[in-house]
Amino acid sequence: MCADGLSNQEIADALFVNIETVKSHLKRAYGRLGLRNRAEVATYVHHHREAGRFAPRVGRAMTPEPIAPQLGLSDAVLAERRHLMGLSSTSRASLTDRADDVAAGSAAYADRLIARWLTAPTTAPYLEQDAVAKRLAEHQARYLESLFGSDLGGEHVEMVLRIGATHHRLKLPPQWHLASYAHLIGEHLGLLFDRAGSVHGFLETVDVLVRSVLFDTSLMLDAYEMHLVQEILDDEANRPTASDSYETDEGIDAEHIGTPVVAASMSRLAADLTQVGVRRDFIGLDADRLSILRRIAPEIEQAIPAMLDDFYSLVAETPSTAELVDDSSIDRLINQVDIYWRDLLHSRFDRGHAASRMRVGMVHERIGLAPQFYVAGLGRQLGGILHALERDPSPVDAVDALLRAVFFDLTFVIDAYVEARANALTQTDRFASQLIAGLSTGMAIVDVRNRIEVVNQQLLDLVGIPAAIAHRMPVADALPFAGIDELVDAVRQSGGQRRSIVVAFRDTTLRLTMVGLELSATGRVGMVVDDIAAIVRLGEERAREQQRFLEVLSAVGAVAWEIDRDTLLVVAVSAGSAPLLGGTEEELLGRLVFTDLIDGPDRRAFEETCLKLGDGGASQLDHGLRPVHGPTRRARTTLAASNDRFGNPTISGVSILVADD
């Protein structure tokens, strides 16, 4: 863009970034490439375009590289996802029939959405520049037209993926885009009702619209996560490593490996609970809509059992989800989802409710259910719920209130998903990158007769072979590991597919990775040998430290936890809490357990002690404890006031079993 003559401000507007970001990146690029001014930039870019190293441009903008192939979203994968959502050209006909009506009002809708974003503290800073706000409004209008008028195929998929990528680049959390979907649907309900001809037809159309929106949500999360992963990897690649500045006489400085042991042993809610009201107001869950939810609760509650039967039949028939549900857990899952919907209908949508929805996201992330499948399941469940409103006297208002509540919940479920994923990546990649930087890597090329053709000094040092005899030495003699010849042959037979094994060798541990090199012509196989003893030792030590922390708590019958000082909601709790508190971490997070479970006479004293603690203050008291499951016992709790990472007041504590009553 710079080479094409765009100013810094024009580049910032085109990329939805701040002008200072553009200046910073250009300065870095100048330094790396040895360029001094824009004239040299133009010459450099022109030269590389001619050499075919840069992608061609359309007009003044670069032709973007498709995102779908990078994510493995082939036509077959997308077709399967649309099928899981219950979307087809036939089912979407009710939307495409309304495409012209929606397109006529798309610009006005986009302007209203931008105005709403400008009123929200979280989104307003992204729209300070009029050019950015205008461009986002244009994108929103085009998206709305595509949502109703397209076949949700390749062009639409790329549009949605770029929305997710742009949001990550802008640092706009995806939760706020999800919240905006409540307005997109809500503002078009009247139009859909007027054109439907019947309440049944209206609900069918809304059902398809919701599923289409959730299909797009799954794509947006795909793109957001891909860029989140890349950002974390880039950050780790630029972070000083053990081989740079953290090397000591004793090895790698433990201060820079992973995260604190205690933090890694705690389950924690992710979002800033003080912002719950802001998000509720943005979505529009006002008193009138909450009143409507209470009114329609009996209609929906009657439909829940049949909806659950249909939904879990679909889960059992879908290969990608069937393995997550077995006969022993189905009744428990049905009961939990039943409770989820009933809570939604009667909730105040306060901090406790938001925390319970984050707990849902944490549980699903922990069992390995991708958010895309969670979103698909939500869409299917909503279909059964919506049709319970066919006899409602005000179906538009009823649907509007229900969907705003659902999207409020979804934003907090995704909060937990995104945070859990980011934490897992950060901890894993930081730990691995700092260790891998110090690996001693040996390399060799093995010829078609499995003899060493080329070898570097690191491999010779690892295996203790003199350079004079290594050339043409059988690889099985140089590396006397069982099955190494078979491994090399397997790589050849697979057409060059990478194969790896980990083996013990003398007093260390080696990882052997094989890959084919020009197999059709030479039969050569490349070999990389890493000494991973340091990774094994430090990985085991890190796991042992975490386990020791939990063992100490368990040995003395203790639980570590944190609560929000304003609401007394539990925001973090140590693993292994069940023996003392009678419930798992997921059952306890976001609950008022330290007031709900504390025996009656001691409850007020406990609450007053928590609320009176000033910054840095500490206290200790004995109290009765009535667990979720099990007999009442006596506990001693030590309390200390602090602040969480958002700056909100919290109380950290350790509760220890004194005696069973």
Side-chain angles (χ1 to χ4, degrees):
M1 291 180 172
C2 178
D4 284 349
L6 273 69
S7 68
N8 289 347
Q9 187 61 63
E10 288 174 321
I11 296 173
D13 293 344
L15 298 179
F16 304 106
V17 297
N18 187 281
I19 189 172
E20 297 302 323
T21 301
V22 175
K23 292 178 181 178
S24 173
H25 281 278
L26 282 176
K27 181 179 179 181
R28 183 186 305 175
Y30 278 26
R32 287 185 175 180
L33 300 175
L35 304 174
R36 294 173 296 179
N37 52 49
R38 286 177 174 254
E40 292 187 1
V41 168
T43 302
Y44 176 86
V45 172
H46 175 74
H47 171 74
H48 284 280
R49 278 186 191 158
E50 291 294 321
R53 296 189 183 98
F54 286 171
R57 292 172 179 263
V58 177
R60 301 177 73 186
M62 293 175 61
T63 302
E65 183 181 356
I67 298 177
Q70 300 177 54
L71 291 164
L73 295 174
S74 64
D75 291 342
V77 171
L78 291 169
E80 181 184 16
R81 193 174 294 189
R82 283 190 290 268
H83 174 71
L84 190 61
M85 288 285 191
L87 295 171
S88 65
S89 56
T90 302
S91 66
R92 279 185 48 80
S94 59
L95 292 187
T96 54
D97 288 347
R98 308 288 177 262
D100 291 342
D101 295 330
V102 170
S106 61
Y109 159 75
D111 288 341
R112 291 193 299 274
L113 180 60
I114 296 301
R116 188 169 284 112
W117 283 353
L118 284 168
T119 65
T122 302
T123 53
Y126 299 96
L127 304 171
E128 291 175 346
Q129 299 178 29
D130 291 340
V132 174
K134 180 180 178 181
R135 197 177 296 272
L136 282 175
E138 293 171 353
H139 281 297
Q140 286 297 319
R142 285 199 295 271
Y143 167 72
L144 182 63
E145 294 170 19
S146 182
L147 174 66
F148 277 83
S150 76
D151 61 356
L152 303 188
E155 290 186 11
H156 180 83
V157 167
E158 277 298 316
M159 175 188 292
V160 176
L161 292 174
R162 297 212 169 274
I163 290 173
T166 300
H167 286 174
H168 180 265
R169 186 172 67 242
L170 292 173
K171 305 302 182 187
L172 176 65
Q175 299 87 320
W176 287 93
H177 188 75
L178 296 182
S180 299
Y181 277 135
H183 297 295
L184 184 154
I185 298 172
E187 292 201 18
H188 291 87
L189 291 177
L191 171 66
L192 298 180
F193 183 77
D194 292 340
R195 303 290 194 275
S198 68
V199 174
H200 178 79
F202 164 66
L203 294 174
E204 286 284 344
T205 304
V206 173
D207 184 14
V208 175
L209 176 58
V210 170
R211 295 186 195 205
S212 300
V213 162
L214 292 176
F215 170 76
D216 286 356
T217 296
S218 73
L219 295 172
M220 184 189 67
L221 292 173
D222 277 324
Y224 190 92
E225 179 174 339
M226 180 184 76
H227 285 77
L228 173 67
V229 170
Q230 189 59 54
E231 178 186 58
I232 291 172
L233 293 177
D234 288 345
D235 287 346
E236 293 305 323
N238 293 324
R239 188 186 299 274
T241 64
S243 61
D244 295 331
S245 58
Y246 298 145
E247 188 88 356
T248 67
D249 291 339
E250 293 75 29
I252 299 173
D253 187 348
E255 177 185 352
H256 301 282
I257 298 174
T259 53
V261 171
V262 174
S265 304
M266 300 278 281
S267 296
R268 185 179 302 274
L269 295 180
D272 183 356
L273 293 177
T274 64
Q275 298 299 305
V276 170
V278 174
R279 200 177 297 183
R280 182 181 60 235
D281 293 343
F282 176 82
I283 287 179
L285 277 175
D286 54 23
D288 290 341
R289 289 188 172 104
L290 295 185
S291 177
I292 292 172
L293 278 179
R294 308 292 184 272
R295 176 177 64 77
I296 65 177
E299 303 171 60
I300 293 177
E301 287 171 342
Q302 290 181 10
I304 290 175
M307 177 273 290
L308 290 175
D309 287 343
D310 291 342
F311 174 70
Y312 279 102
S313 295
L314 175 66
V315 169
E317 296 167 1
T318 304
S320 52
T321 56
E323 61 185 19
L324 298 175
V325 178
D326 55 34
D327 294 340
S328 63
S329 63
I330 188 69
D331 290 339
R332 175 177 56 83
L333 292 172
I334 288 176
N335 181 62
Q336 289 175 345
V337 178
D338 181 275
I339 292 172
Y340 172 91
W341 284 105
R342 294 177 192 276
D343 284 350
L344 177 84
L345 298 168
H346 299 281
S347 176
R348 294 181 298 173
F349 298 93
D350 54 10
R351 296 187 192 182
H353 180 86
S356 72
R357 279 15 188 179
M358 282 188 281
R359 191 164 59 244
V360 170
M362 291 178 65
V363 170
H364 283 90
E365 201 279 336
R366 183 166 293 185
I367 66 173
L369 183 73
Q372 291 81 358
F373 286 111
Y374 174 82
V375 167
L378 178 64
R380 285 289 192 167
Q381 291 176 31
L382 260 173
I385 294 293
L386 283 169
H387 286 282
L389 301 174
E390 287 201 23
R391 297 183 181 179
D392 192 272
S394 304
V396 172
D397 292 339
V399 169
D400 182 57
L402 175 63
L403 291 181
R404 289 180 191 271
V406 167
F407 276 92
F408 174 89
D409 277 14
L410 181 57
T411 66
F412 285 98
V413 172
I414 297 303
D415 263 329
Y417 262 118
V418 171
E419 183 74 10
R421 182 64 172 142
N423 284 341
L425 286 167
T426 300
Q427 292 176 17
T428 302
D429 288 310
R430 181 172 302 171
F431 181 61
S433 65
Q434 290 168 357
L435 290 172
I436 289 172
L439 289 178
S440 177
T441 301
M443 290 176 286
I445 295 177
V446 180
D447 67 15
V448 71
R449 297 174 62 186
N450 286 4
R451 296 180 304 179
I452 294 178
E453 186 173 282
V454 179
V455 64
N456 71 348
Q457 188 61 48
Q458 284 87 345
L459 181 54
L460 296 174
D461 293 341
L462 279 173
V463 298
I465 301 173
I469 66 171
H471 186 63
R472 299 300 180 185
M473 187 177 188
V475 67
D477 292 340
L479 301 174
F481 309 130
I484 192 167
D485 278 331
E486 290 80 359
L487 181 64
V488 176
D489 292 339
V491 172
R492 290 197 186 95
Q493 293 167 9
S494 69
Q497 184 177 359
R498 183 188 302 269
R499 302 290 178 90
S500 295
I501 59 171
V502 175
V503 297
F505 180 69
R506 298 176 182 168
D507 58 350
T508 190
T509 304
L510 301 179
R511 179 184 60 195
L512 281 67
T513 303
M514 309 284 188
V515 64
L517 302 172
E518 301 175 349
L519 286 178
S520 60
T522 68
R524 291 189 181 97
V525 171
M527 177 191 306
V528 178
V529 182
D530 296 324
D531 182 351
I532 61 171
I535 288 181
V536 174
R537 286 194 302 270
L538 289 170
E540 292 174 348
E541 181 61 25
R542 185 171 184 262
R544 282 195 297 269
E545 289 293 337
Q546 295 183 23
Q547 186 60 34
R548 277 196 287 267
F549 169 74
L550 296 176
E551 287 173 354
V552 169
L553 291 178
S554 177
V556 297
V559 173
W561 48 267
E562 289 180 16
I563 60 177
D564 177 75
R565 193 163 66 185
D566 293 338
T567 62
L568 302 185
L569 289 169
V570 176
V571 295
V573 64
S574 61
S577 58
L580 180 60
L581 301 177
T584 65
E585 304 96 273
E586 289 84 2
E587 290 176 307
L588 297 167
L589 284 170
R591 301 188 188 279
L592 293 168
V593 294
F594 290 102
T595 54
D596 291 346
L597 303 186
I598 291 174
D599 235 7
D602 300 318
R603 183 175 302 170
R604 181 176 296 276
F606 190 94
E607 291 179 359
E608 290 178 350
T609 301
C610 289
L611 296 174
K612 287 179 180 178
L613 280 176
D615 290 343
S619 185
Q620 185 181 88
L621 71 164
D622 291 357
H623 55 86
L625 183 65
R626 186 175 60 251
V628 176
H629 309 289
T632 300
R633 64 276 307 270
R634 297 294 295 174
R636 176 170 299 149
T637 297
T638 301
L639 306 168
S642 58
N643 291 315
D644 66 11
R645 62 191 176 99
F646 302 107
N648 303 318
T650 61
I651 297 172
S652 301
V654 175
S655 294
I656 184 170
L657 179 64
V658 177
D660 290 331
D661 284 355

